[in-house]
Amino acid sequence: MSSTSITTITGITVDDIRFPTSKQLDGSDAMSPDPDYSSAYVIIHTDNPLLEGHGHSFTTGRGTEIVCAAIEAHRHLLIGRTLEEFISNPGAFWRHLTSDSQLRWIGPEKGAIHLGLAAIVNALWDLYAKREDKPLWRLISDLTPEQFIKCIDFRYMSDVITSDEALKMLKELEKTKSERIKQLEEQGYPAYTTSAGWLGYSDEKIQRLCREAINEGFTHLKIKVGRDLQDDIRRLKIIRQEVGYERRIMVDANQVWDVNQAIEWMKHLVEFSPYWIEEPTSPDDIIGHAKISQALKSYNIGVATGEHGMNRVLFKQMLQANALQFCQIDSCRLGGVNEVLAVLLLAAKFQVPVCPHAGGVGLCELVQHLSMIDFIVVSGTWENRITEYVDHLHEHFEDPCIIKNGRYVAPTRPGYSTQMKAFSRQQYSFPNGSIWKTNP
Amino acid sequence: MSSTSITTITGITVDDIRFPTSKQLDGSDAMSPDPDYSSAYVIIHTDNPLLEGHGHSFTTGRGTEIVCAAIEAHRHLLIGRTLEEFISNPGAFWRHLTSDSQLRWIGPEKGAIHLGLAAIVNALWDLYAKREDKPLWRLISDLTPEQFIKCIDFRYMSDVITSDEALKMLKELEKTKSERIKQLEEQGYPAYTTSAGWLGYSDEKIQRLCREAINEGFTHLKIKVGRDLQDDIRRLKIIRQEVGYERRIMVDANQVWDVNQAIEWMKHLVEFSPYWIEEPTSPDDIIGHAKISQALKSYNIGVATGEHGMNRVLFKQMLQANALQFCQIDSCRLGGVNEVLAVLLLAAKFQVPVCPHAGGVGLCELVQHLSMIDFIVVSGTWENRITEYVDHLHEHFEDPCIIKNGRYVAPTRPGYSTQMKAFSRQQYSFPNGSIWKTNP
């Protein structure tokens, strides 16, 4: 397609899509015993009937309608705008989408309004990548450092990183970019699995899933903790017996503890050598995470957080305060690709590895691109970096992620791998899809 | 009414109510040039047809429908519950309302879902106060310290304040409570006005409004800054000429600056001796506010923030980090009365004065109660404390706040002063009220 043609945004379609996952205890953790993995889903239509962008924001059932309303609320900021405006200055377009003076009140840049924004921004990047006939990771890897910088709104970041400084970092790595693209295409990006670790699974199921994970080539496994200490110890024993000590185990408390409680609880798990403790307390508590990081340092346990990290201002501070040792961006909670790129830059500046959150529905499809961009363009390394993978609901996507030997295979199809199959969207549409009509 | 009768919640009514204030530039600041002051409004109905609770969450126009959807999403957590459950343990009931495992994802405890919660919690307290036939400030002042503590969910606070410590603080002040009630009823609670300070007003209008404020007994005035430095200097000159240096002037940037920019800009305003700079940067930036506080200390300018402070975890850290010298709670952004009480306790522990944010529509009616509770029960003082007042839209309320000699008069009518007149609710209902039908 000619890059000089003008593509105008003509409409959006918003869908509330829910999968009744709560029936199987998949995804059960200390805070979320019964999620129904869901998508607040948006299609951006253009005056080119062959070109549409798909984006979504992950949710867990009830409340998806609120995020859908948040997407709808951005309609007037999109209709009549062109894809070329977005492409020529993605950062300015992002600022435009986050600066509606009335919508801003109910964030700013957090909660439902920001989740809604994320779905839209992800759809814009899908649209852009489809038009350029490239997978997103490749589209962004092919940008010049100057173009990359233009994707980012540096508002509220300049005390820690300026665009000039970021440009210098990117230029330094640009020289070796093509080597890393080759490496990635040959080897894939390192992943870890959470499949075995949900609360509520039987011991036999845990053992079986551990063995499967090893057979599939995974070297890192994560399990949920925090509901009952004795149960955590019992499950960690089982898992260590299955996977040995040459593989890494991470534990995830899903925000269930207060700060001091987190430190005390983790002392009881030291013998199992967890690589990190994830979300030990409120995701908003920078100072709390810093205290926990400090306390667990001598045990060689890192702190990981970010799946509920609401925006770049939170991540900036988490990094400033040494509050995390693993930075877990979320592709749909941050304001889509643009803000993720901002956090990748911040993390690279502080030399903290980015290990994205995934699972749910559609998140693995998205984060693979983001980790690959981090590797090729921003941090330049996959040392100590692993991206979450859960083998769940991929069959509903047009371009499902592929795992080989415990690594994400670089996507080759154009777009951001966001597009859900039309039949799945229909069937799981809430409350009128056939799945919900028959199993209300 | 007998306190042993059981009152069951039978339903909720949710309304989107908007006032077309953007037409007058009232409320125009550096980030919000054109707000339509609005309410996401809820009525909690009970099986007693004479007893209902009214609550609202303030918004600025577009997006109110998202907060209304968030209120609706809590319906299943309310219907069938009793007022007595709430009264017997308000903190546990609050935890119940914030712990829906699926809704939690789209916060947690921030943004639209938390604004929706606030409306509901405010309505519950209105219901409770009406049943006890007391204004809210008096109802809570009459609680024992033990009952007060039970209003609070201490989750994520215990590293800074425990319930035992809070109890001790409250008991210490209890002895002198009745003196302060008397003082309050005689003198009212100190207020300040923002009426003169909006961006976009002419010089003549500013001068006139300053003189009116002085005549009305105000000793503290606030103005908006941050859009244009020369304009700020010009307006501050006019205002200082009108009010002299024996009165205090506060300035409010509404988040428009980056951290270092805030420090530089404020250095140019030092000659006007601002008492505080409000919202100098992102409301989420604890470390940034701490840096600004530190830099402005030698100029004797304090930092005020909190109107966008999303929850107690943010305030906890702002206080831990010495990031604010004036704590501006918002009655509808925090999760209603319960979480406000938590922040009052935190601020008292750090000996930081609480100066609530108000204005908008209905906020003055609410915050007067909260400041009075702070004075009587929690901090025990009104030294250095002032509560915002804007003379705007009070006529729509059944129990409008009353200002005398620049002070809030203690309300006497039962409830939380939340109830909007039925006719106003009808007229300004969006999009079908008569105001919007004739002025779309």
Side-chain angles (χ1 to χ4, degrees):
Chain A
M1 191 170 303
S2 155
S3 64
T4 58
S5 68
I6 299 286
T7 306
T8 303
I9 296 169
T10 53
I12 62 172
T13 306
V14 184
D15 273 315
D16 181 336
I17 299 164
R18 306 189 191 186
F19 298 86
T21 47
S22 60
K23 294 181 181 168
Q24 282 93 39
L25 291 179
D26 297 326
S28 178
D29 66 48
M31 277 295 198
S32 294
D34 55 353
D36 282 329
Y37 287 161
S38 305
S39 275
Y41 196 95
V42 62
I43 304 173
I44 296 181
H45 304 281
T46 71
D47 54 3
N48 176 347
L50 297 176
L51 195 59
E52 54 186 35
H54 290 238
H56 53 78
S57 199
F58 172 61
T59 51
T60 58
R62 288 184 293 279
T64 307
E65 74 283 6
I66 304 169
V67 182
C68 288
I71 296 173
E72 285 285 359
H74 289 83
R75 188 183 285 270
H76 66 291
L77 301 169
L78 287 165
I79 308 296
R81 298 278 169 162
T82 66
L83 179 55
E84 290 67 29
E85 281 179 84
F86 175 71
I87 292 172
S88 70
N89 196 333
F93 203 93
W94 192 87
R95 169 83 70 105
H96 157 71
L97 290 175
T98 54
S99 296
D100 180 285
S101 63
Q102 298 188 349
L103 292 180
R104 213 179 164 278
W105 182 265
I106 65 169
E109 300 182 25
K110 62 180 67 68
I113 194 78
H114 213 50
L115 290 163
L117 171 81
I120 289 166
V121 171
N122 289 339
L124 284 166
W125 281 98
D126 183 56
L127 187 63
Y128 180 11
K130 280 175 177 159
R131 192 183 91 161
E132 299 300 316
D133 209 26
K134 291 179 183 181
L136 182 86
W137 71 267
R138 185 67 205 235
L139 171 76
I140 293 183
S141 297
D142 289 346
L143 297 179
T144 64
E146 288 78 5
Q147 288 172 320
F148 187 102
I149 291 300
K150 276 187 123 174
C151 299
I152 291 165
D153 183 354
F154 279 88
R155 174 173 264 184
Y156 301 143
M157 288 171 62
S158 66
D159 54 321
V160 166
I161 192 168
T162 62
S163 59
D164 284 352
E165 192 183 351
L167 190 63
K168 215 177 136 197
M169 285 165 58
L170 295 175
K171 281 191 169 168
E172 191 56 37
L173 281 173
E174 206 197 5
K175 305 160 196 163
T176 48
K177 211 160 74 171
S178 56
E179 292 163 33
R180 284 188 299 279
I181 291 178
K182 191 160 165 279
Q183 239 185 317
L184 175 75
E185 288 179 326
E186 285 169 6
Q187 300 175 39
Y189 193 94
Y192 73 89
T193 178
T194 311
S195 301
W198 305 106
L199 295 179
Y201 281 2
S202 69
D203 293 1
E204 291 67 31
K205 187 164 182 182
I206 295 172
Q207 287 171 321
R208 176 173 58 78
L209 290 169
C210 281
R211 275 176 229 150
E212 284 176 19
I214 294 172
N215 288 338
E216 285 159 14
F218 287 103
T219 55
H220 295 69
L221 290 86
K222 191 169 81 185
I223 76 155
K224 302 290 177 177
V225 296
R227 201 186 281 167
D228 179 275
L229 179 59
Q230 291 316 315
D231 188 58
D232 290 349
I233 291 172
R234 191 183 54 79
R235 289 160 60 249
L236 275 163
K237 267 192 190 142
I238 294 171
I239 294 175
R240 271 294 177 215
Q241 276 165 9
E242 289 298 327
V243 309
Y245 274 79
E246 70 277 19
R247 295 190 181 79
R248 281 182 171 145
I249 294 179
M250 293 85 79
V251 299
D252 183 357
N254 293 92
Q255 316 168 22
V256 83
W257 300 315
D258 274 25
V259 174
N260 298 329
Q261 189 188 8
I263 295 167
E264 289 313 306
W265 195 295
M266 284 309 295
K267 284 181 184 168
H268 294 283
L269 305 184
V270 166
E271 60 171 308
F272 303 106
S273 301
Y275 187 47
W276 74 48
I277 169 63
E278 182 170 331
E279 289 204 310
T281 188
S282 163
D284 309 328
D285 197 347
I286 299 143
I287 296 176
H289 279 81
K291 187 176 173 189
I292 297 166
S293 291
Q294 186 58 33
L296 298 182
K297 204 174 169 181
S298 61
Y299 302 105
N300 221 5
I301 302 173
V303 169
T305 188
E307 110 184 31
H308 284 78
M310 59 194 176
N311 59 34
R312 67 198 177 288
V313 179
L314 183 93
F315 280 98
K316 178 183 79 166
Q317 295 175 83
M318 285 279 184
L319 291 159
Q320 284 179 289
N322 280 318
L324 47 73
Q325 286 70 53
F326 300 94
C327 176
Q328 299 183 300
I329 52 160
D330 185 285
S331 55
C332 300
R333 187 170 302 273
L334 286 167
V337 175
N338 304 60
E339 198 172 29
V340 168
L341 298 182
V343 176
L344 295 183
L345 274 174
L346 285 165
K349 159 137 188 178
F350 286 90
Q351 298 188 294
V352 167
V354 173
C355 302
H357 166 248
V361 53
L363 295 180
C364 297
E365 276 67 26
L366 273 61
V367 296
Q368 57 178 345
H369 290 272
L370 304 172
S371 282
M372 291 169 192
I373 293 163
D374 181 54
F375 173 61
I376 295 165
V377 185
V378 187
S379 73
T381 175
W382 54 35
E383 203 72 25
N384 293 321
R385 283 149 175 88
I386 34 173
T387 300
E388 188 164 17
Y389 172 73
V390 186
D391 186 9
H392 206 194
L393 304 174
H394 302 293
E395 64 276 18
H396 298 290
F397 288 84
E398 293 283 0
D399 184 22
C401 63
I402 298 167
I403 288 278
K404 264 191 198 154
N405 295 321
R407 300 171 83 98
Y408 278 101
V409 176
T412 54
R413 286 180 59 170
Y416 188 15
S417 311
T418 41
Q419 189 163 340
M420 203 183 282
K421 290 176 181 169
F423 184 63
S424 297
R425 279 186 270 133
Q426 264 170 32
Q427 273 193 302
Y428 293 92
S429 176
F430 184 86
N432 294 319
S434 56
I435 293 288
W436 293 102
K437 285 281 188 200
T438 51
N439 292 306
Chain B
M1 192 169 303
S2 155
S3 63
T4 57
S5 68
I6 299 287
T7 307
T8 303
I9 297 170
T10 53
I12 63 172
T13 306
V14 184
D15 273 315
D16 181 338
I17 299 164
R18 307 188 189 186
F19 298 86
T21 47
S22 60
K23 294 181 181 168
Q24 283 92 39
L25 289 181
D26 297 326
S28 177
D29 67 46
M31 277 294 199
S32 294
D34 56 353
D36 283 329
Y37 287 162
S38 305
S39 275
Y41 196 93
V42 63
I43 304 174
I44 296 181
H45 305 281
T46 70
D47 53 3
N48 177 346
L50 297 176
L51 195 59
E52 53 187 36
H54 290 238
H56 52 77
S57 199
F58 172 62
T59 49
T60 58
R62 287 184 293 279
T64 307
E65 76 282 6
I66 303 170
V67 182
C68 287
I71 297 173
E72 285 284 0
H74 289 83
R75 187 183 286 270
H76 67 290
L77 301 169
L78 288 164
I79 308 297
R81 298 279 169 160
T82 68
L83 180 55
E84 291 66 29
E85 280 178 87
F86 174 72
I87 293 172
S88 70
N89 196 335
F93 204 93
W94 192 87
R95 169 82 70 104
H96 158 71
L97 290 174
T98 53
S99 297
D100 179 284
S101 63
Q102 297 188 350
L103 293 180
R104 213 178 164 279
W105 182 266
I106 67 170
E109 299 181 26
K110 62 179 66 69
I113 195 79
H114 213 51
L115 291 163
L117 171 82
I120 290 165
V121 171
N122 289 339
L124 285 166
W125 281 98
D126 183 56
L127 186 64
Y128 179 12
K130 281 175 178 160
R131 193 183 90 161
E132 300 299 317
D133 209 26
K134 291 180 182 180
L136 182 86
W137 70 268
R138 185 68 206 234
L139 171 75
I140 292 183
S141 298
D142 289 345
L143 296 180
T144 64
E146 287 78 5
Q147 288 172 319
F148 187 102
I149 291 300
K150 276 186 122 175
C151 299
I152 292 164
D153 182 355
F154 280 87
R155 174 173 264 183
Y156 302 143
M157 289 171 61
S158 65
D159 53 321
V160 165
I161 193 168
T162 62
S163 60
D164 284 352
E165 192 183 353
L167 190 63
K168 215 176 138 198
M169 286 166 55
L170 296 175
K171 281 191 169 169
E172 191 57 36
L173 281 173
E174 206 196 5
K175 306 158 194 163
T176 49
K177 209 160 76 170
S178 57
E179 293 164 32
R180 284 187 298 280
I181 291 177
K182 192 159 166 278
Q183 239 184 316
L184 175 75
E185 287 179 327
E186 286 169 6
Q187 302 175 39
Y189 193 94
Y192 72 89
T193 177
T194 312
S195 301
W198 304 108
L199 295 178
Y201 282 3
S202 70
D203 293 0
E204 292 67 31
K205 186 163 182 181
I206 295 172
Q207 287 171 324
R208 176 172 58 77
L209 291 170
C210 281
R211 277 175 229 150
E212 285 176 18
I214 294 172
N215 288 338
E216 286 158 16
F218 287 103
T219 56
H220 294 69
L221 290 85
K222 191 169 81 184
I223 75 154
K224 301 291 178 177
V225 295
R227 200 187 281 166
D228 178 275
L229 179 60
Q230 291 315 314
D231 188 57
D232 290 348
I233 291 172
R234 193 183 53 79
R235 289 159 61 249
L236 275 163
K237 268 191 189 144
I238 295 172
I239 294 175
R240 270 294 176 214
Q241 276 165 10
E242 290 298 327
V243 308
Y245 275 80
E246 70 277 18
R247 294 189 182 81
R248 280 182 172 146
I249 294 179
M250 293 84 80
V251 298
D252 184 355
N254 293 91
Q255 315 167 24
V256 82
W257 300 315
D258 274 25
V259 174
N260 298 328
Q261 190 188 9
I263 296 167
E264 290 313 307
W265 195 295
M266 284 308 296
K267 284 182 184 167
H268 293 284
L269 305 184
V270 167
E271 59 172 309
F272 303 106
S273 301
Y275 187 46
W276 75 49
I277 168 64
E278 181 170 331
E279 289 204 310
T281 189
S282 163
D284 309 328
D285 197 347
I286 298 142
I287 296 176
H289 280 81
K291 187 176 175 188
I292 297 166
S293 291
Q294 185 59 32
L296 298 182
K297 204 175 171 181
S298 60
Y299 302 106
N300 221 5
I301 303 172
V303 168
T305 188
E307 111 185 29
H308 283 78
M310 59 194 175
N311 58 36
R312 67 199 178 288
V313 180
L314 184 92
F315 280 97
K316 178 182 79 166
Q317 296 176 84
M318 285 279 184
L319 292 159
Q320 283 179 290
N322 280 317
L324 47 74
Q325 286 71 54
F326 300 94
C327 175
Q328 300 183 298
I329 51 160
D330 185 284
S331 55
C332 300
R333 189 172 299 275
L334 287 168
V337 175
N338 304 59
E339 197 172 30
V340 168
L341 299 182
V343 175
L344 295 183
L345 275 175
L346 285 165
K349 158 136 190 180
F350 286 91
Q351 298 187 295
V352 168
V354 173
C355 301
H357 165 248
V361 54
L363 295 181
C364 298
E365 277 66 27
L366 272 61
V367 296
Q368 57 178 343
H369 291 272
L370 304 174
S371 282
M372 292 169 192
I373 293 164
D374 182 53
F375 173 61
I376 295 165
V377 186
V378 188
S379 73
T381 176
W382 54 34
E383 203 72 24
N384 294 322
R385 282 149 176 88
I386 33 172
T387 299
E388 188 163 19
Y389 173 72
V390 186
D391 186 8
H392 206 193
L393 303 175
H394 302 294
E395 65 276 18
H396 298 290
F397 289 84
E398 293 283 359
D399 184 21
C401 62
I402 298 168
I403 288 278
K404 265 189 197 156
N405 296 321
R407 299 172 81 98
Y408 278 102
V409 176
T412 55
R413 287 180 59 171
Y416 188 15
S417 309
T418 40
Q419 190 163 339
M420 203 183 282
K421 290 176 181 168
F423 184 63
S424 297
R425 279 185 270 135
Q426 263 170 35
Q427 273 194 302
Y428 293 91
S429 176
F430 184 87
N432 294 318
S434 56
I435 294 288
W436 292 104
K437 284 282 189 200
T438 52
N439 292 306

